[in-house]
Amino acid sequence: MNLSTIALALLAWQLLSGGNKQQQKPNASPLDNISQFMNEDTKSILESVSKLSDKDSSQEDKTGAILQMITNPAVMNMASNLFKKNEKQPETNDEGYKFDTPSSDSREFFKPIDNIADAEIKHKLYWFYDNWYVK
C-alpha cells in the first residue's frame, strides 16, 4: 500500500460518508457505490476510520476500530515497509547471494577499497580480518 492508495482510500471514504447523508436511489448502478470495487482490507480501514471520526461512537467502538486497523494486513504491510527502509540491507552479489554483515573494525580497515572492490572480494577480506587477523 503506497501513498496514492491511501489517498484514494481517503477520497473513497469522503465519498461514502457524503453518500450516507443523501438518499440512495433505488435503481442505482454499480458505479454509484464505489465500495463494491474495494478489497476487504480497504473497506475495513475505511470502516475503522469512520468509527474513529464519528462523534457518536463509544470508547469501546473506537478501541475496537483501532485494534481492527492494527491487525489489518494492509496497515501491517505499510508499517513493515516504512520501518524496513531504515534497516541496513546486507550486501549481495549479482546472483543474489547475501553476505554476512562485517564488523565495524573490518569496514574501517578496508574503507580505502570500498569503492573499488566488488561485494565478494570485500566479503572475503572482511571475513579474513574478523576471523583470522584480529585473533
Side-chain angles (χ1 to χ4, degrees), residues 3-127:
L3 191 57
S4 62
T5 307
I6 294 170
L8 286 174
L10 290 174
L11 176 64
W13 173 65
Q14 287 292 333
L15 291 173
L16 289 175
S17 65
N20 291 339
K21 296 176 184 175
Q22 299 172 355
Q23 185 77 351
Q24 291 287 337
K25 297 177 184 176
N27 295 329
S29 70
L31 295 176
D32 291 340
N33 192 355
I34 197 167
S35 66
Q36 291 178 353
F37 299 106
M38 292 183 208
N39 66 8
E40 294 300 318
D41 293 337
T42 307
K43 286 180 189 178
S44 174
I45 292 171
L46 292 177
E47 289 171 4
S48 298
V49 169
S50 66
K51 282 182 188 176
L52 289 172
S53 65
D54 188 12
K55 62 182 177 183
D56 296 331
S57 294
S58 67
Q59 190 64 30
E60 288 110 14
D61 291 341
K62 290 182 180 183
T63 303
I66 290 171
L67 290 175
Q68 187 176 5
M69 284 182 71
I70 290 173
T71 59
N72 191 314
V75 174
M76 294 299 289
N77 186 24
M78 184 176 63
S80 68
N81 287 339
L82 178 69
F83 293 116
K84 188 185 295 183
K85 292 180 183 176
N86 294 336
E87 294 176 357
K88 194 171 204 176
Q89 299 294 326
E91 290 190 49
T92 59
N93 65 0
D94 295 337
E95 298 168 351
Y97 181 78
K98 294 181 181 176
F99 301 111
D100 296 333
T101 305
S103 68
S104 60
D105 292 338
S106 63
R107 281 192 180 266
E108 186 63 33
F109 187 78
F110 291 109
K111 193 170 188 98
I113 64 158
D114 195 31
N115 296 332
I116 301 168
D118 66 346
E120 293 178 30
I121 299 295
K122 288 191 286 187
H123 171 69
K124 288 177 183 175
L125 291 172
Y126 294 152
W127 185 87

